[in-house]
Amino acid sequence: MLKEIIISIEAYGKAHRFIATHKLWRWILIPGILYMLLFAVSMYFFWNTASDAVDYLNTITGLRSWLDRMNSGWLSFLVSFAEFVLTLIMLQFYFSLFKFLWLIIGSPVFAYLSEKTEAILEGRDFPFSVAQLLKDMVRGIKLALRNTLWQTVYIIAVMLLSLVPLVGWAAPLLGLFIECYYYGFSMLDYSAERHKMSAGQSIEFISQHKGLAIGNGMVFYLMHIVPIIGWVLAPAYAVVAATISLYHREENL
């Protein structure tokens, strides 16, 4: 798995050179700017909502009042840190919903970009097919909905784990790996579909190559550390990198 993660991470460097060489910037920048605007607005809303939710839990449970009566600095620290961890998990949950909404909205561009990337890699002409594009879109949307359901189940489990003292502190990291896997999963499936894999076959194949999915999702999330530029480039770079990592997997693994 570690080797696959490294291969998937290295694919982002190859993706950058590929995009520059073949002048694919319009397919990167136009959806990327839209994604950046939606991401900025959504995260502002999500942060406020997560904070309000934690405050509400404190109110209905009477936790803060109990801490005030206990007058213990150590207990206050533990609870405050647990609240911070829970807020992070909730933000991950919100972002996962936003991410899959974006996958549904952006599926036409992602399907086209993945197919165009593979056509260039194979050195063949790229015959645009509306029927194939629509087929890829429908498949991408169905898979996004399926992954949203499963990821929601896992994130709720991670939320419950975050309430466990000390052990729950690892919950955000676990939640991040889940996020990375499912985002990378969606990026890899565009290529799997073109190789005539059914949805079930794609799920089985990617589950056997989790490193490729996790590595792709890791860089996607890390790109968000860089405001504006990272947000604009992250989605389309993830598509191209996933296509490249799968195309070269046999010679690298």
Side-chain angles (χ1 to χ4, degrees), residues 27 105 112 151:
W27 298 105
I105 295 173
Y112 176 85
Q151 187 170 345

Side-chain angles (χ1 to χ4, degrees), residues 115-116 118-127 194:
E115 188 168 353
K116 186 174 181 66
E118 188 166 314
I120 294 173
L121 287 171
E122 293 179 351
R124 59 180 174 84
D125 292 333
F126 177 66
R194 280 195 309 281

Side-chain angles (χ1 to χ4, degrees), residues 122-142:
E122 293 179 351
R124 59 180 174 84
D125 292 333
F126 177 66
F128 178 75
S129 170
V130 175
Q132 182 63 43
L133 181 63
L134 291 175
K135 184 179 178 181
D136 291 345
M137 285 171 53
V138 171
R139 161 130 167 186
I141 290 171
K142 287 182 178 179

Side-chain angles (χ1 to χ4, degrees), residues 10-25 237 240 244:
E10 290 176 342
Y12 273 82
K14 296 177 182 178
H16 175 73
R17 294 189 293 272
F18 183 89
I19 291 166
T21 300
H22 298 285
K23 299 178 173 61
L24 300 176
W25 292 112
Y237 267 53
V240 177
I244 290 174

